[in-house]
Amino acid sequence: MSNFSLSSEGPSRGGAFLVYGLYIARFFTGISLLAGVILAYILKGSSTGLVRSHLSWLIRLFWYDVAFIIGCAVLFGACFITEPPGSSGPGQLLFLIPIGIFALWNIALLVSLLYGVRSLTQGRGPLPDRFRALGE
């Protein structure tokens, strides 16, 4: 006989992969991030251990993303007030600051998501040891 049994971590792990997939699809659709965080909140209640730490990190990434989007929008608005479009001057370069911050955040988010998927397949936590304080 085989020792096959359905563990509670099996479906949750698949759910965590689904949440990672929805977060990565955010770069193409935008709205899938909202579906991903809702699913992460639902799955977090019934998950334990490693999967729970990944889901907690994904929820935290959602709120980091919201903060960066709001911060970049405010910064972009401040640039718009100081140097409205259509005017020519060195102030137009200020618009590159929020665009650059948003681009760097998206690169960091994508790297974090890809690392999380890899570490979930290897049975490790969502962050490397040197960044463990960010996930707690």
Side-chain angles (χ1 to χ4, degrees):
M1 282 232 218
S2 67
N3 292 335
F4 181 78
S5 66
L6 293 174
S7 68
S8 63
E9 192 168 35
S12 296
R13 189 170 179 184
F17 280 122
L18 179 60
V19 174
Y20 272 115
L22 287 169
Y23 272 48
I24 292 171
R26 163 224 188 261
F27 295 101
F28 306 106
T29 63
I31 193 70
S32 66
L33 184 70
L34 186 60
V37 76
I38 292 170
L39 184 61
Y41 272 116
I42 291 170
L43 292 175
K44 185 180 173 189
S46 63
S47 64
T48 59
L50 179 69
V51 174
R52 188 175 182 91
S53 68
H54 277 272
L55 292 173
S56 295
W57 174 243
L58 286 167
I59 291 169
R60 184 166 290 176
L61 273 180
F62 170 79
W63 290 113
Y64 287 159
D65 193 37
V66 168
F68 268 94
I69 289 171
I70 291 171
C72 286
V74 167
L75 191 57
F76 195 78
C79 291
F80 183 78
I81 290 171
T82 59
E83 191 75 31
S87 62
S88 60
Q92 291 294 318
L93 293 176
L94 289 176
F95 285 99
L96 294 177
I97 295 171
I99 293 170
I101 291 171
F102 189 69
L104 287 175
W105 165 247
N106 281 312
I107 290 168
L109 180 64
L110 183 61
V111 167
S112 177
L113 291 172
L114 293 176
Y115 182 84
V117 169
R118 188 181 83 182
S119 64
L120 183 60
T121 59
Q122 295 174 349
R124 294 183 300 172
L127 293 170
D129 291 334
R130 64 183 173 264
F131 297 121
R132 187 84 20 118
L134 289 174
E136 295 174 355

